[in-house]
Amino acid sequence: MVPCHRVRRPVPRSVDPPPPRESSWREWGFLVALALVAAGARFWNLGAWSVELDEALFLSDARHNVNPRYPLGYHVSAWVWDLFNREAPDEALLRLPSAVAGFLAVPATFWALSSVLSRRVAALSALLLGVSSWALFWSQMARFYTLAQLLGLVAGGFVLRGAKRASWSEMLLGLAVLALVPLAHPSGAFLIVGLWVAGGVLLFGRREPQEHHAPAMRIVFVIGSVIGFAFGLAWALDVLGVWMASTSGVSSQPFHLLLSTGYLVTPWVGLAFAVGLVRLARNPARESRALLALIAFAGLAALVTSAMGRSAAQYVFVLLPWMLGVAALALVNGGRRRIAAALVVLLSLADSADYHLRRHGDRPRWSEAAAYVRDHAAPGDLCLGMHAPALEYYLNPGASRLRVPQALTYLDRYRHDLPLRWSGRNRRVWLIVNNEEYEDWSPADREATREFLRLGCREVATFPVPFPLGIRDLDVTVLRWDP
């Protein structure tokens, strides 16, 4: 008898590990509903906080800068203000476009992240964004960061789905929206880098046999990457040159970017993010590898850029929803993790409540300081102020050319000697000061100005803003020099 030998069939290598069982809508629908309720807080107290310097400059540029470098946010906001026929809108209308974009970013987070994560994780990510005080702050700030974040989420959702399914329509639509992100703010380029790598991971990873469009898409992806890199590099160098010139004389601090981002993300979410990164790195699925690549390469691009000039944490705000997706990975499945998820959400909710109730929207109280000067100043008095365009908004109602204030004069590092010079005019001088602004001054100029204010002026009003751990000094002080 001839022995029978069992023939082993080759194991197919083209398939990924099976995805986890998708949760039902009952498991994630409640989280999405909670996220939408939390997102509604973007419209609460929308007009309560004082206009900030950047908001005043944004209003002035949107009305009078005919050729902004990244025009999308300016044009969208100006269009909204024109609907209400307001040349210089009030605080609530000024911030309305940002608030709408910030609200829409919450459901967009669920949609975008569900392309690479389970719906339960994506829903928790949306909830974390909804209760984030950092997202709340930029949703109530008349700038373009929430618009860039929203466009990045829409683009990311389409690009990742298109790469994953080898779908031409989704990929092309995603790339079209992605091209708009830097037109809202140049920091969107960091997300472009991350999505480009993540798309490549999905597209060139192990594919299922039925995805017959993948080879052609890979070729187009490579060709498009070369062309996009050439044009993108030229644009990036141009923007980077202007940005470096604007930050000349200040230190480059990548470590500061990490610390400030960690603080604004909050320590408890940051801890969950670290745990989620470990879980993500251990998962062999290509979706996990793609999300890890997105975070790693976008973050690396931001760190490299921060070494060339001072970078603020808002430059990586566009990455926040994707970071929250990683954090949510550490907070799903299992009873103890549900407790941890509830604790993280409650801590974030308490932080946002503190933003509304005690911290005055994390902004200096320029409106109240300006009102005090307006009520107590006499005709012929002079006025100097830090963040002069923001004060001009209140001292000269209806004005929109706020870069050139008429009701007061700048008090900054370039005009530090004005208080001493004006004291010889035999006219009363009002000074509106925020101590944090001295940080950009030279030590000698800072000490000379402080000594004059301490010895020659009288402090007449203070408008404090309590900030956690004293990390920032947002207090505004009104002083008066009497001849």
Side-chain angles (χ1 to χ4, degrees), residues 158-160 162-164 166-168 171-172 175 178 192-205 207 213-229:
F158 279 120
V159 167
L160 295 178
K164 183 178 176 181
S167 168
W168 286 101
M171 177 64 79
L172 293 176
L175 292 176
L178 191 61
I192 291 179
V193 172
L195 280 174
W196 170 67
V197 179
V201 169
L202 290 173
L203 196 57
F204 288 90
R207 310 298 302 185
H213 296 299
M217 183 172 284
R218 289 171 189 163
I219 296 173
V220 173
F221 184 86
V222 172
I223 296 174
S225 297
V226 173
I227 297 174
F229 179 78

Side-chain angles (χ1 to χ4, degrees), residues 120-192:
R120 184 190 304 168
V121 176
L124 180 57
S125 307
L127 178 57
L128 291 175
L129 184 67
V131 297
S132 167
S133 63
W134 194 21
L136 176 61
F137 175 83
W138 286 115
S139 296
Q140 296 194 329
M141 175 73 79
R143 295 294 299 279
F144 17 67
Y145 294 104
T146 54
L147 178 60
Q149 186 182 86
L150 174 62
L151 292 173
L153 287 166
V154 174
F158 279 120
V159 167
L160 295 178
R161 283 176 170 84
K164 183 178 176 181
R165 303 168 181 169
S167 168
W168 286 101
S169 59
E170 290 178 310
M171 177 64 79
L172 293 176
L173 183 57
L175 292 176
V177 178
L178 191 61
L180 298 176
V181 179
L183 297 180
H185 194 268
S187 61
F190 301 144
L191 182 63
I192 291 179

Side-chain angles (χ1 to χ4, degrees), residues 336-348:
R336 291 183 179 179
R337 287 179 182 163
R338 289 181 181 178
I339 295 174
L343 181 60
V344 168
V345 169
L346 288 175
L347 286 172
S348 298

Side-chain angles (χ1 to χ4, degrees), residues 132 134 260-270 273 320 323-324 348:
S132 167
W134 194 21
S260 59
T261 302
Y263 171 79
L264 292 167
V265 169
T266 68
W268 48 90
V269 173
F273 173 73
L320 178 61
M323 296 171 64
L324 294 178
S348 298

